[in-house]
Amino acid sequence: LARGHVVSGHVTVWITCGSGRGMEAVLEQQLRETMKNPAIIGVLCADEQGLNLGCRGSLVDEHAGVVSVLAQQAAKLTTDPTDVPVICLESDNGNIMIRKHGSITIAVHKMSV
């Protein structure tokens, strides 16, 4: 079971995901709860192979591989294995925050203020 968070401005998102019976239902509930925040327009969880574990809103299945690879490549920029980078992709349409938590990568798309 992996529990991770992505912090973007004043928005903190906790996602719990992993393997086991009923874990899909837990992930689906977490994705629904995350999307209730009006500042968030998309959320995605992917595994190490880039397989989509669940997504909502602006982040779709096709984004899972890219999100996973970005997190893996960013982790190579540090020599400290405990230092987990957060990737922020900024555009006029908002920010996408990406962070790896163990074997799970979480992406959150937050609209611009």
Side-chain angles (χ1 to χ4, degrees):
L1 185 65
R3 185 165 191 217
H5 72 283
V6 175
V7 179
S8 172
H10 297 291
V11 177
T12 302
V13 177
W14 283 95
I15 302 285
T16 304
C17 33
S19 60
R21 177 169 241 182
M23 206 45 63
E24 294 84 8
V26 171
L27 176 58
E28 289 299 319
Q29 179 183 359
Q30 291 288 328
L31 293 172
R32 280 193 302 274
E33 289 297 315
T34 299
M35 289 301 294
K36 288 181 181 179
N37 183 321
I40 295 175
I41 56 176
V43 63
L44 179 139
C45 286
D47 70 6
E48 289 182 310
Q49 287 75 41
L51 189 70
N52 178 22
L53 301 175
C55 59
R56 291 282 185 280
S58 63
L59 297 175
V60 296
D61 188 57
E62 291 80 23
H63 297 131
V66 174
V67 163
S68 180
V69 168
L70 283 172
Q72 290 172 19
Q73 293 301 314
K76 293 177 181 178
L77 295 173
T78 179
T79 56
D80 181 358
T82 63
D83 185 20
V84 181
V86 176
I87 301 107
C88 180
L89 305 173
E90 297 181 2
S91 75
D92 293 339
N93 296 326
N95 297 337
I96 299 176
M97 308 295 289
I98 302 169
R99 184 164 184 203
K100 193 168 170 58
H101 298 275
S103 63
I104 305 298
T105 301
I106 300 169
V108 176
H109 188 184
K110 181 183 172 202
M111 71 177 142
S112 299
V113 185

